[in-house]
């Protein structure tokens, strides 16, 4: 039975390969998907390994906000619970915790190196992404310190509890969880990039390239919906060569700051009253920061 199953799988794979080879659209989609996925996976693996090590050896209490987030590579999914622990019960550290939550997944070394590899012909994209992401984080932290209300935090801080597992078990579980979650979104993102190259007519991209405001709005919306991991999103953005650099920068700045999965996590960790205010404001600030830095660094390309 096992031999029959393997033979059936082999036959199906050969048939699919032959069909793809004969179909130009499927061949293009397969090339784009494979290129995005294969390029992104090494950085995804590096990111989740570092994230797992942080889960074992670094407690949330010793983390610093803002620029400190640049030294701690990790997915944005991991930054939300860490920020909630830093936030405490809404004391003076709240603004710093939120700044960390937005900065850490966007300006850490893994993300910046991945961006440089994904955009070898546009080195200024790295500087623009780092500057716009940091600006977004600082503005949102300042905004919370000025207008934030403790009563918006309706979810209490989860208990720490004693950790009885070995460090190896904690590392393996954290890395496994982060990789499976991030890889699933990477598959969705790579598939979306492949579909955009095949399904969407060329005149649509020509119209987007001619209308900068519309292309910025479309790419910002895609960043929220696709919910990619920050270690892999640069390769998806780089594959969208039919879109100007500025809208792709918006995609890279908005994604790690606010998307559908982050909204759900923020609502769960901080409360819906907080998420309903913080996410829309972050969305607008991220777009404005990306556009401002993009126009200055990239020249609006």
């Amino acid at each position: 039975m096992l031999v029959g199953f393997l033979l059936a799988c082999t036959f199906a794979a050969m048939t699919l390969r032959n069909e793809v080879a004969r179909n130009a659209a499927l061949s293009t989609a397969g090339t784009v998907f494979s290129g995005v996925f294969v390029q992104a996976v090494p950085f995804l693996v590096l990111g989740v390994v570092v994230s797992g090590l942080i889960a074992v050896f670094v407690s949330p209490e010793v983390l610093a906000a803002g620029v400190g987030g640049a030294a701690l590579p990790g997915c944005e999914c991991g930054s939300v619970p860490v920020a909630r622990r830093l936030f405490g019960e809404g004391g003076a550290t709240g603004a710093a915790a939120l700044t960390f939550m937005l900065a850490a997944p966007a300006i850490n070394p893994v993300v910046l190196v991945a961006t440089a590899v994904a955009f070898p012909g546009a080195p200024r994209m790295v500087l623009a992404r780092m500057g716009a992401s940091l600006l977004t984080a600082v503005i949102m932290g300042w905004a919370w310190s000025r207008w934030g209300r403790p009563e918006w935090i309706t979810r209490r801080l989860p208990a720490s509890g004693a950790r009885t597992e070995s460090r190896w078990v904690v590392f393996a579980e954290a890395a496994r969880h982060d990789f499976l979650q991030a890889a699933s979104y990477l598959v969705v993102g790579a598939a979306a990039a492949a579909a955009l190259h095949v399904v969407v007519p060329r005149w649509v991209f020509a119209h987007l390239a001619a209308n900068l405001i519309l292309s910025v709005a479309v790419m910002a919306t895609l960043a929220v919906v696709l919910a990619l991991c920050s270690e892999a999103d640069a390769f998806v953005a780089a594959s969208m060569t039919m879109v100007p650099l500025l809208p792709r920068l918006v995609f890279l700045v908005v994604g790690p700051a606010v998307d559908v999965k982050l909204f759900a996590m923020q609502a769960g960790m901080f409360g819906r009253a907080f998420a309903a205010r913080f996410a829309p404001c972050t969305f607008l600030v991220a777009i404005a920061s990306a556009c401002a830095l993009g126009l200055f660094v990239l020249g609006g390309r």
Side-chain angles (χ1 to χ4, degrees), residues 263-288:
F263 179 82
M265 293 186 69
Q266 290 169 9
M269 297 296 294
F270 291 89
R272 282 182 289 182
F274 168 86
R277 293 170 172 83
F278 189 78
C281 291
T282 303
F283 180 72
L284 296 176
V285 170
I287 293 176

Side-chain angles (χ1 to χ4, degrees), residues 164-266:
T164 59
E165 301 91 346
S166 69
R167 287 183 170 181
W168 170 252
V169 172
V170 174
F171 165 78
E173 179 59 26
R176 182 196 64 81
H177 174 271
D178 288 353
F179 180 79
L180 290 179
Q181 186 175 55
S184 63
Y185 284 107
L186 174 58
V187 170
V188 173
L196 287 174
H197 279 77
V198 174
V199 177
V200 180
R202 289 293 170 185
W203 64 265
V204 173
F205 294 114
H207 185 64
L208 286 177
N211 191 325
L212 198 59
I213 295 177
L214 179 60
S215 59
V216 165
V218 169
M219 292 300 287
T221 304
L222 274 178
V224 173
V225 174
L226 290 181
L228 298 176
C229 179
S230 58
E231 280 102 1
D233 58 1
F235 297 97
V236 175
S239 71
M240 301 179 185
T241 54
M242 64 290 277
V243 180
L245 282 179
L246 180 60
R248 285 188 277 173
L249 174 64
V250 171
F251 179 87
L252 295 178
V253 175
V254 170
V258 53
D259 59 35
V260 289
K261 72 177 186 298
L262 287 176
F263 179 82
M265 293 186 69
Q266 290 169 9

Side-chain angles (χ1 to χ4, degrees), residues 103-128:
I107 63 172
N108 69 67
V110 175
V111 170
L112 296 181
V113 171
T115 305
V117 172
F119 291 90
R124 292 185 179 182
M125 182 66 91
V126 179
L127 180 62

